[in-house]
Amino acid sequence: MAASTEELDCKQRMIPRISLHNFDERKDEISTQILHAAENSGFFILEDQISPSVSEIEEIFHIAEKFFALPESVKAKNPFKRLENAGWEMNSQIRPSTGLPDQKESIQLQYHHRNSAFWPSDEDAPEGFKEATTSFMEKAHVLSMKLLSIFAVALGFSEDFFDKAHIINRSDAQSTLRLLHYHDITGTQFPSSYWRAGAHTDFDCLTLLFQRTGEDGLEICPGREAHTSFGMGDQWTPVKAQTGEIVCNIGDMLMAWSDDRFKSLFHRVRCPGVGEHQHARYSIAYFNQANEIVEIQGPLGKYPTMTAHQYIRDAVNRNYGQIEKMRAESGNSAE
């Protein structure tokens, strides 16, 4: 079954669509399609996957809606902790590209913390929250490792190279499930400088993004040739939301690991204006980040070796250091 592409705007930017039907029998064909997308688009859309299924994706969105409907006082019992990449935050994530807070709230969860204070307690979460989110993480992780095995072989590593680098039940695991809720802004006209999520790249190896039909807004932009750069073009392409499909994008960590062969591109979520669909938008992202002690270096040795822990810290400082400096100079403390 051949991959297809969609023409998504007047400038004819293409985002590959790749079917995972009969994955084991078609792995060579699927691998060729995914690698071409990673080298040229940075983004691709998966369909026909067995797991997580459409019904499982719908269930996790239902759980997310229930969580975000809780009183702020309850959600705030698990505040976001940047060094742990875990917890709940609202209207506090400031992107260097905008200098303004994203118009959203989110909770970030890590599998190995599921029985700790970094997760909402059973009393402070919707019924079945922990079971549903951990099950979804397990399924997203299995799919992620199938995909990452393709990149491992292409880079000359063993097929299970990234599997060994992403062990989510270890205490130094960094992979994260993020539930996101963009507020209902019906009747509100935000200035053009406001975004539901400002332009950014992901720091991880590979992101699996789940969206719901009708809740559009995601846009991507080519133009980045090195994982250390802020290179951004001016051609933004909308990615239509469809329940059951999985939008995948390469992250900075894999871009570095591939000596910049695979592209981690900027993306954003647009604030709809009055007259557009301004109701709440939900999305769910699974970020594959290597365990802290894993060493990152590409086969060509383009960049110095560093641990995944240090890579994430450097990426945070590189992207948010200027924001923190501005806050300090203005007398405002960091979130």
Side-chain angles (χ1 to χ4, degrees):
M1 185 179 297
S4 62
T5 56
E6 287 186 338
E7 183 175 313
L8 293 173
D9 68 1
C10 61
K11 296 184 179 180
Q12 299 190 9
R13 285 295 305 167
M14 300 290 187
I15 300 177
R17 302 180 66 87
I18 301 172
S19 171
L20 296 185
H21 179 66
N22 288 339
F23 180 89
D24 292 336
E25 293 80 0
R26 297 177 51 244
K27 187 171 182 180
D28 289 345
E29 176 189 355
I30 292 170
S31 297
T32 298
Q33 295 168 4
I34 286 178
L35 293 174
H36 183 268
E39 292 171 344
N40 296 280
S41 304
F43 275 74
F44 51 94
I45 299 171
L46 298 179
E47 54 189 7
D48 302 326
Q49 77 282 353
I50 295 175
S51 178
S53 66
V54 175
S55 61
E56 289 166 340
I57 293 169
E58 290 174 337
E59 178 188 5
I60 198 67
F61 273 116
H62 184 56
I63 286 287
E65 280 190 277
K66 285 186 173 181
F67 174 80
F68 289 121
L70 294 171
E72 288 184 22
S73 59
V74 174
K75 292 179 288 189
K77 291 182 180 180
N78 298 96
F80 180 70
K81 295 178 174 59
R82 178 172 291 179
L83 293 180
E84 295 293 338
N85 201 27
W88 173 80
E89 59 82 24
M90 184 169 70
N91 296 352
S92 63
Q93 186 170 17
I94 298 179
R95 306 288 186 184
S97 60
T98 64
L100 297 169
D102 287 351
Q103 299 300 300
K104 70 176 191 309
E105 63 177 319
S106 70
I107 185 166
Q108 302 196 160
L109 307 165
Q110 294 181 326
Y111 190 85
H112 68 289
H113 281 321
R114 63 194 182 280
N115 295 315
S116 74
F118 290 110
W119 279 57
S121 67
D122 291 341
E123 294 76 20
D124 293 327
E127 182 178 358
F129 179 84
K130 182 181 293 185
E131 292 80 2
T133 49
T134 53
S135 175
F136 194 81
M137 291 174 78
E138 290 166 355
K139 291 176 172 63
H141 185 73
V142 169
L143 177 57
S144 297
M145 293 307 106
K146 282 186 176 182
L147 301 175
L148 284 172
S149 72
I150 292 170
F151 295 107
V153 172
L155 294 173
F157 301 135
S158 63
E159 189 172 17
D160 64 351
F161 178 83
F162 287 119
D163 199 354
K164 293 178 179 178
H166 297 78
I167 303 177
I168 60 174
N169 59 1
R170 284 180 38 157
S171 61
D172 70 329
Q174 298 189 104
S175 292
T176 304
L177 179 71
R178 190 177 195 185
L179 312 181
L180 298 110
H181 169 220
Y182 300 88
H183 312 299
D184 186 327
I185 56 172
T186 301
T188 303
Q189 183 63 62
F190 278 96
S192 59
S193 57
Y194 271 77
W195 298 87
R196 278 181 157 173
H200 64 284
T201 62
D202 293 343
F203 301 157
D204 63 342
C205 278
L206 181 69
T207 300
L208 274 60
L209 178 70
F210 303 84
Q211 303 184 97
R212 294 201 303 190
T213 302
E215 297 178 3
D216 298 326
L218 176 64
E219 300 177 339
I220 69 169
C221 181
R224 193 163 182 247
E225 295 300 325
H227 78 105
T228 53
S229 79
F230 286 89
M232 192 188 312
D234 59 359
Q235 182 181 323
W236 290 90
T237 298
V239 182
K240 195 169 184 61
Q242 180 67 45
T243 304
E245 295 181 347
I246 307 173
V247 179
C248 297
N249 65 276
I250 306 303
D252 293 357
M253 187 178 283
L254 184 55
M255 191 171 181
W257 230 326
S258 69
D259 301 304
D260 295 327
R261 174 181 171 184
F262 305 130
K263 306 304 182 187
S264 172
L265 301 184
F266 278 88
H267 47 286
R268 66 190 184 188
V269 179
R270 189 173 66 88
C271 257
V274 174
E276 297 182 88
H277 182 87
Q278 290 188 299
H279 299 303
R281 178 184 190 270
Y282 294 85
S283 65
I284 296 167
Y286 186 70
F287 300 104
N288 292 276
Q289 298 183 153
N291 292 57
E292 291 183 355
I293 63 172
V294 172
E295 292 188 339
I296 297 172
Q297 188 175 55
L300 303 180
K302 183 176 181 179
Y303 300 104
T305 302
M306 68 171 63
T307 65
H309 177 267
Q310 187 59 51
Y311 187 87
I312 295 297
R313 294 295 176 267
D314 286 357
V316 169
N317 290 335
R318 185 169 65 247
N319 282 267
Y320 294 103
Q322 184 177 2
I323 294 296
E324 300 293 354
K325 181 179 179 181
M326 291 168 58
R327 279 179 157 178
E329 290 175 348
S330 66
N332 295 325
S333 60
E335 296 290 345

